[in-house]
Amino acid sequence: MTIALDLASANRPAPTPSLAGMTREELRSALIDAGLVEEKKAKMRAEQLWRWIYHHGVTDFDAMTNVSKDLRAALETRFTLDRPRVVERLVSVDGTRKYLIELAPGVECETVFIPSVGRSGALCVSSQVGCTLNCTFCHTGTQPLVRNLTAAEIVAQVMIARDDIGEWPSTNEDRQITNIVFMGMGEPLYNLDHVAKSIDIISDGEGIQIGRRRITVSTSGVVPKIVELGERTGTMLAISLHATNDPLRDELVPLNKKYPIAELMDAIRAYPDLSNARRVTFEYVMLKGVNDSLAEAKALVRLLKGIPSKINLIPFNPWPNSPYECSDWDTIEAFAEVVNRAGYASPIRTPRGRDIFAACGQLRSESKKVSAAERRKAERAVAG
Ligand code: SAH
Ligand code: SF4
């Protein structure tokens, strides 16, 4: 069986590379290496392509009207503008959209668009397929790491959502995807090189134009990379805290055994440019009888003292055979009140897209482990 698969892949012709997802420098090199453009003109040509790809979002070389017909034809023979294939697109009753994207045969990630009230909305992107960490409340954590996403694959998630929602060119005033959150599958700080590179592309003012202050990277607490994230990307920081003492956090977020709360807090305090206008978001999943007491709400307030913060209370989203229940609504509200009274904004995150399994922590691609039909059956059982 293995031998048959190996032979099949050896015989398959290499796919035509897509320019969508490349940096300016990669575009320039691709043009030179393909022998399509002289070196001294390559920078200018790359700039033209950049505008068509990331400002206009074109998927056809023929749309590039300031590129000569001959060059367009030559580009067509060597490259594509394809995005990875969307294998499943689901729209929730609340407008949330979930895309299951095939990055390579058997390698899939999920991307979720969460429209907000008003005109803004957030796109939740994945940085890895699976995750090496095993937070006990998270569905992604039950999927072993398949691999890191490349920068191009992260950018492609944004382009796919824009294609679907119809938001090109980037100057479109009715844009709904106004914010990007790295809160999909995976731990972004374990893939920081690609994450940082993707942010350079997404935030570029001549391209997709989603500013760095509108991009939030969420981490479960990879302490040695937190300051580096700020220095390299200038994005907003979110921390998945979920507990206020080490024994409980060790259990919920096992990475805490390596980087305990005190070290995590020190790294957060050192995050560049923190201010009241630029706060850290603390995510706190509400688990019934586990971390939702008023004493814990008070401990949370004490822990965050002196850090410009907002607290995002996330009602636990169940998944098949998950070992927790969501706290009662009254309990969540009482918890929020303690935090609010201490002067912190503490919105309770309304669960979005639960019916299509797109809510926080529910993402998990099968990547060949279980058939899609089996997964959908399990999901229907939980969504009830
Ligand atoms: N790995 C990163 C980013 C992805 S997780 C991190 O852990 O921060 C995005 C957010 O969803 C995190 O705050 C995570 O703790 C939360 N989450 C995970 N599983 C959840 C669940 N079942 N219900 C609610 N939130 C969950
Ligand atoms: Fe990985 Fe984040 Fe899920 Fe933890 S919460 S298992 S770090 S994706």
Side-chain angles (χ1 to χ4, degrees), residues 157-365:
Q157 296 174 62
V158 181
M159 300 182 81
I160 284 170
R162 268 219 178 148
D163 293 344
D164 187 45
I165 299 170
E167 301 212 317
W168 301 106
S170 298
T171 40
N172 180 341
E173 282 184 6
D174 294 327
R175 246 160 60 164
Q176 290 185 70
I177 306 171
T178 54
N179 294 61
I180 304 281
V181 293
F182 282 79
M183 294 184 186
M185 297 163 69
E187 170 48 59
L189 297 199
Y190 278 158
N191 187 19
L192 185 52
D193 288 344
H194 289 294
V195 165
K197 191 166 153 189
S198 73
I199 290 169
D200 288 343
I201 298 175
I202 295 165
S203 63
D204 191 286
E206 299 291 312
I208 293 176
Q209 287 185 37
I210 298 177
R212 291 171 189 274
R213 299 293 156 96
R214 290 184 173 273
I215 300 176
T216 301
V217 178
S218 174
T219 176
S220 56
V222 184
V223 164
K225 295 278 179 186
I226 288 178
V227 170
E228 188 182 333
L229 169 75
E231 286 169 347
R232 287 176 68 176
T233 68
T235 50
M236 307 296 281
L237 175 67
I239 299 286
S240 296
L241 190 64
H242 310 312
T244 54
N245 62 75
D246 283 323
L248 181 59
R249 195 162 190 272
D250 285 351
E251 199 184 304
L252 301 178
V253 184
L255 185 65
N256 195 68
K257 292 182 206 150
K258 199 164 176 189
Y259 306 119
I261 293 176
E263 286 180 29
L264 177 60
M265 290 300 152
D266 285 345
I268 296 167
R269 283 195 184 86
Y271 195 76
D273 301 330
L274 284 188
S275 68
N276 273 338
R278 210 171 161 228
R279 298 176 207 213
V280 180
T281 301
F282 286 90
E283 296 161 281
Y284 195 97
V285 63
M286 299 299 293
L287 304 171
K288 189 174 192 162
V290 175
N291 65 353
D292 59 356
S293 69
L294 292 185
E296 276 154 315
K298 287 176 193 154
L300 180 59
V301 168
R302 280 196 300 276
L303 192 63
L304 305 191
K305 205 165 187 281
I307 303 177
S309 331
K310 53 188 169 202
I311 297 156
N312 218 323
L313 299 178
I314 316 175
F316 170 67
N317 291 308
W319 35 272
N321 302 321
S322 50
Y324 300 105
E325 280 179 71
C326 181
S327 308
D328 299 328
W329 202 252
D330 290 352
T331 310
I332 301 179
E333 284 190 337
F335 195 106
E337 206 185 309
V338 171
V339 176
N340 271 325
R341 258 191 278 124
Y344 293 100
S346 61
I348 302 168
R349 194 183 287 173
T350 319
R352 304 294 298 268
R354 268 189 183 174
D355 56 331
I356 56 164
F357 247 64
C360 300
Q362 291 186 312
L363 305 184
R364 183 191 198 281
S365 67

Side-chain angles (χ1 to χ4, degrees), residues 15-184:
T16 311
S18 174
L19 299 179
M22 288 190 183
T23 61
R24 282 190 168 83
E25 185 46 40
E26 286 163 352
L27 287 174
R28 201 184 74 89
S29 309
L31 292 176
I32 296 170
D33 295 348
L36 297 183
V37 173
E38 298 165 46
E39 212 162 331
K40 60 180 192 305
K41 288 203 175 144
K43 194 161 177 233
M44 183 271 288
R45 287 288 179 212
E47 194 59 44
Q48 278 179 328
L49 290 179
W50 176 275
R51 291 278 299 174
W52 286 113
I53 296 169
Y54 297 120
H55 178 78
H56 297 285
V58 302
T59 51
D60 184 350
F61 288 109
D62 270 339
M64 300 183 170
T65 44
N66 62 353
V67 175
S68 75
K69 238 180 163 176
D70 287 351
L71 181 55
R72 272 165 17 207
L75 283 165
E76 183 91 49
T77 62
R78 304 297 298 268
F79 301 106
T80 74
L81 296 164
D82 292 349
R83 293 74 161 108
R85 196 165 68 93
V86 176
V87 278
E88 192 170 50
R89 171 184 175 277
L90 296 172
V91 182
S92 159
V93 286
D94 66 19
T96 300
R97 298 184 191 202
K98 180 168 92 166
Y99 309 95
L100 178 66
I101 298 171
E102 186 185 59
L103 304 167
V107 181
E108 295 168 348
C109 78
E110 293 188 312
T111 307
V112 179
F113 170 63
I114 310 145
S116 188
V117 264
R119 283 215 306 227
S120 63
L123 188 73
C124 177
V125 297
S126 294
S127 56
Q128 298 182 312
V129 176
C131 189
T132 51
L133 303 172
N134 302 98
C135 304
T136 47
F137 50 85
C138 174
H139 202 198
T140 310
T142 65
Q143 179 182 13
L145 179 71
V146 177
R147 69 164 169 81
N148 281 339
L149 264 58
T150 64
E153 289 166 343
I154 298 171
V155 174
Q157 296 174 62
V158 181
M159 300 182 81
I160 284 170
R162 268 219 178 148
D163 293 344
D164 187 45
I165 299 170
E167 301 212 317
W168 301 106
S170 298
T171 40
N172 180 341
E173 282 184 6
D174 294 327
R175 246 160 60 164
Q176 290 185 70
I177 306 171
T178 54
N179 294 61
I180 304 281
V181 293
F182 282 79
M183 294 184 186

